[in-house]
Amino acid sequence: MTVLLLVLAVCATLLAGVVLAAVLDRALPELAGTMTRQRIETEAPDRMNRDLAPAFYLALAAEGLSVVPFAPGLALIDSPVGVVIWGACEALTIIVVFLHGWSPNAPFPLIGAYRYAAIGLPVMLPSMFVLIAAALPAESLSLVAIVDSQREIWNVLRQPLGLPLFLVVALALTLRGPMDYADAADIAGGTSAEDSGAGRTLWQVARLAMLVSVSAVAATVFLGGPLGPVLPGPVWLWLKTAVLMAVLIWLGNRVARTTPSRMLTILWVVLLPLSFADLIISGVLAL
Amino acid sequence: MIRDTLAARAPAAVFAAIGPGRQADAERLFARRDMRRASTPRDASVLLVAGDIPAEASEALARVHDQIPPPRATVQWQGEDPDRIAARVAEALKDLRGTGTGEADRLPDEPPNEWKGIGPHGQGGKGMMGGTPYGRPMAMTGPDIRDGLQLDRYTARIGPFAPMLPPGLTLEVTLQGDVICDVSIDSPPFAQPADADAPDLCLARVLRLLGLDRAADRVLGGKRPGALWVRGAIPRGLGRIDGTDIRGRVAAWRKGEAAPLGPFDLPQLLTGAEWSEAMLILASLPPSALIRAARATEAA
């Protein structure tokens, strides 16, 4: 019974979150607009991966959300290694975006795909370090335990570097604004350059679903997830997730995107050492 | 039902083929709330043809037309008021939703070249690589311009309606990954009057490449860009001409000043740059300076 409710909660959160994200991003009419058009096929595409890439992206968003506790001690997949499961979702996102750029058999999508793979690796490393830092006070890789460890003080205050670094990761995972190296303007929309009709809509919906998922994980790891006074747990989680979604959409629309080679330098030289510092400070504090 | 109501409220997704003299008007048109410039024909349902497209670009125009997913419509813009054009685009979209047929292909669906049975696998080139089977250029190994190792080179012609390039400019680029190792100008940009050099238009072009579409719209509406890290996102020293780099030109445009440029060698400026850097360089050149440079290269 509880499992059924949790499955329902995950699906409802994804669905409502996608609609909310589309409204916040003023993209809802546009999504409906692309739906009404035909899908054009490129020459000799990789049809299987073309169809599977958006489906996998959606599935990864759902999988990420499934390890998030909706109430203290209550997650659909209450895994002792929830952080690792989420880490796998992050890493597989790179592969899914690459396949999306690979499948149309066209130059601009392929450039976007390779760019994203190059950016993806140094983005994943800080992500793992800040998540492990958040797991240290909990002495567990379970997201349920990480929520419990924040009863006194949220991780956003205990580890102030964690959330800002994780937001950079979130922008990269959702192909948004300053970290959107896969679908950038200088390569005519990159991996999406050849998408048309329903396939285009599906990819955009999957991007928004990943936004919901990554925001929920950030809310859980850094903002205490379902913890909060008066209101029930799920409501707190939804509120915090919605706030983070709004922050990410705002950042995506307001912060400039630099060139890929410069971003690579910034990632390796600035953000990676910062995430190291976050891990070391959290480790010393947790001793 | 809900889908159709929502779709009717969507800003019109338009792919713009901009002809001589129409760049400034077209770019200002897309700062409107009810118009959206599609970054690829696949994302559009209306082809907006602004001005008279020269005969040598008509085949490219037909190809762009056929890349728009059906149902599709074409709207010609010969200098009417922007409100009238927006209304005509909206009307064309309404017709498409009503009838759902739209225009047929303009070009026959066949390969640009015949099969040329050269080489051991019949595709031209050497071994399993290179050649142009059915007119499709394939990558071939060549020396890497950075370290001299052997790396795949891919040659493609991009333009004259590619949205990241100035209208009319067609480049033949040889890429290794996204590094430009060779570039030549197939056709220079279409001539544009001085209004295309307006500081707000120049700034908006750079902002769009930096992923700041809404900031670009705000600039064209006479407001401040309201964006973070614009200066910092542009690599220092990139696109340096006469001692000013892109950062310097953007700073001048933000103050509402023009950024005049002396003569420069366009292919030399782009060779060795990564694709995204090259596009930033092109967007940071006022159209008049770019047209002069491209014509000088062609004449030489």
Side-chain angles (χ1 to χ4, degrees):
Chain A
M1 189 61 207
T2 329
V3 173
L4 205 68
L5 266 177
L6 281 168
V7 170
L8 214 64
V10 167
C11 295
T13 307
L14 269 185
L15 198 69
V18 165
V19 174
L20 174 68
V23 170
L24 285 174
D25 207 15
R26 292 186 240 152
L28 197 58
E30 209 173 292
L31 285 180
T34 23
M35 272 285 276
T36 55
R37 292 200 290 279
Q38 270 182 38
R39 192 174 185 183
I40 290 195
E41 197 161 80
T42 49
E43 206 171 65
D46 181 344
R47 286 196 189 84
M48 184 181 75
N49 282 317
R50 179 198 61 192
D51 295 337
L52 280 182
F56 275 151
Y57 203 5
L58 266 173
L60 288 175
E63 194 187 332
L65 201 56
S66 68
V67 292
V68 170
F70 278 81
L74 200 64
L76 174 57
I77 299 176
D78 183 2
S79 163
V81 289
V83 168
V84 179
I85 292 180
W86 170 250
C89 291
E90 286 187 354
L92 288 171
T93 299
I94 303 179
I95 295 177
V96 163
V97 174
F98 182 84
L99 285 180
H100 185 239
W102 166 268
S103 53
N105 191 24
F108 283 135
L110 196 60
I111 290 178
Y114 274 108
R115 252 188 214 177
Y116 191 73
I119 292 283
L121 174 69
V123 168
M124 292 307 114
L125 295 174
S127 163
M128 289 304 110
F129 287 133
V130 297
L131 289 177
I132 291 168
L136 284 174
E139 294 177 18
S140 163
L141 290 169
S142 150
L143 286 179
V144 173
I146 291 178
V147 167
D148 273 336
S149 76
Q150 297 178 76
R151 285 195 185 275
E152 315 258 285
I153 179 171
W154 289 356
N155 277 338
V156 66
L157 299 173
R158 189 156 47 187
Q159 308 172 352
L161 280 173
L163 185 59
L165 285 170
F166 195 75
L167 288 183
V168 176
V169 178
L171 287 171
L173 285 181
T174 55
L175 315 183
R176 201 159 268 288
M179 297 302 286
D180 183 9
Y181 287 96
D183 293 2
D186 66 304
I187 41 175
T191 68
S192 307
E194 297 287 346
D195 282 359
S196 49
R200 188 176 195 90
T201 312
L202 193 59
W203 181 254
Q204 300 306 327
V205 167
R207 265 182 73 213
L208 296 176
M210 184 51 92
L211 179 67
V212 179
S213 189
V214 75
S215 303
V217 170
T220 307
V221 174
F222 297 103
L223 300 179
L227 297 178
V230 188
L231 296 171
V235 177
W236 273 114
L237 180 72
W238 287 328
L239 281 177
K240 292 169 185 174
T241 304
V243 168
L244 284 177
M245 277 162 54
V247 169
L248 285 169
I249 289 173
W250 189 88
L251 287 173
N253 285 332
R254 294 274 174 170
V255 182
R257 173 178 55 229
T258 185
T259 57
S261 54
R262 198 164 129 79
M263 180 49 83
L264 274 179
T265 311
I266 293 171
L267 283 169
W268 286 106
V269 176
V270 182
L271 297 190
L272 190 59
L274 274 181
S275 67
F276 260 132
D278 180 55
L279 184 59
I280 291 169
I281 297 168
S282 313
V284 169
L285 288 179
L287 273 178
Chain B
M1 179 64 195
I2 296 173
R3 195 181 76 180
D4 290 346
T5 325
L6 272 175
R9 277 184 43 208
V14 175
F15 191 85
I18 302 172
R22 309 293 304 151
Q23 189 179 4
D25 287 343
E27 287 176 356
R28 289 194 194 281
L29 182 74
F30 288 109
R32 294 168 62 109
R33 272 284 176 94
D34 55 351
M35 300 285 269
R36 181 170 69 86
R37 185 172 180 180
S39 57
T40 150
R42 304 289 196 209
D43 185 25
S45 41
V46 172
L47 175 65
L48 178 70
V49 182
D52 295 315
I53 305 298
E56 59 267 25
S58 60
E59 198 194 324
L61 182 66
R63 206 172 305 124
V64 165
H65 173 270
D66 294 353
Q67 283 173 353
I68 294 177
R72 61 194 162 207
T74 307
V75 173
Q76 286 280 346
W77 186 16
Q78 294 292 357
E80 296 95 325
D81 187 64
D83 286 324
R84 281 211 27 215
I85 281 301
R88 267 179 48 203
V89 168
E91 203 177 310
L93 276 173
K94 214 171 129 199
D95 285 352
L96 286 181
R97 270 196 301 277
T99 61
T101 47
E103 295 161 4
D105 280 357
R106 289 187 191 168
L107 294 174
D109 187 10
E110 58 186 31
N113 280 17
E114 283 176 26
W115 177 261
K116 288 192 184 121
I118 307 164
H121 303 281
Q123 93 287 14
K126 280 187 202 141
M128 294 289 283
M129 301 193 63
T132 48
Y134 290 117
R136 271 68 164 171
M138 304 295 281
M140 183 73 206
T141 47
D144 184 325
I145 58 167
R146 289 180 174 180
D147 56 18
L149 297 174
Q150 295 284 308
L151 196 70
D152 289 8
R153 279 168 177 253
Y154 175 79
T155 303
R157 196 179 302 151
I158 296 166
F161 301 115
M164 72 297 264
L165 294 180
L169 179 63
T170 310
L171 294 177
E172 188 168 302
V173 285
T174 302
L175 295 166
Q176 281 181 330
D178 67 351
V179 177
I180 296 178
C181 31
D182 199 11
V183 61
S184 61
I185 296 167
D186 262 20
S187 67
F190 298 138
Q192 304 293 342
D195 60 350
D197 290 357
D200 61 338
L201 284 173
C202 291
L203 179 58
R205 278 176 214 127
V206 174
L207 290 177
R208 288 192 200 283
L209 271 186
L210 299 177
L212 299 168
D213 265 325
R214 301 225 170 115
D217 291 347
R218 281 191 289 272
V219 164
L220 292 183
K223 300 193 198 91
R224 297 176 56 79
L228 306 170
W229 204 45
V230 172
R231 192 185 138 78
I234 302 167
R236 187 179 288 124
L238 187 66
R240 189 186 294 279
I241 301 165
D242 301 344
T244 47
D245 57 2
I246 302 180
R247 278 189 181 187
R249 294 197 280 280
V250 166
W253 292 326
R254 288 184 84 157
K255 282 183 257 165
E257 295 163 8
L261 282 179
F264 55 91
D265 183 356
L266 187 59
Q268 201 188 340
L269 203 58
L270 301 181
T271 308
E274 291 184 2
W275 179 260
S276 62
E277 294 168 346
M279 294 307 107
L280 257 182
I281 294 172
L282 282 175
S284 79
L285 301 170
S288 59
L290 189 63
I291 292 162
R292 269 201 312 276
R295 284 187 180 156
T297 310
E298 222 188 14

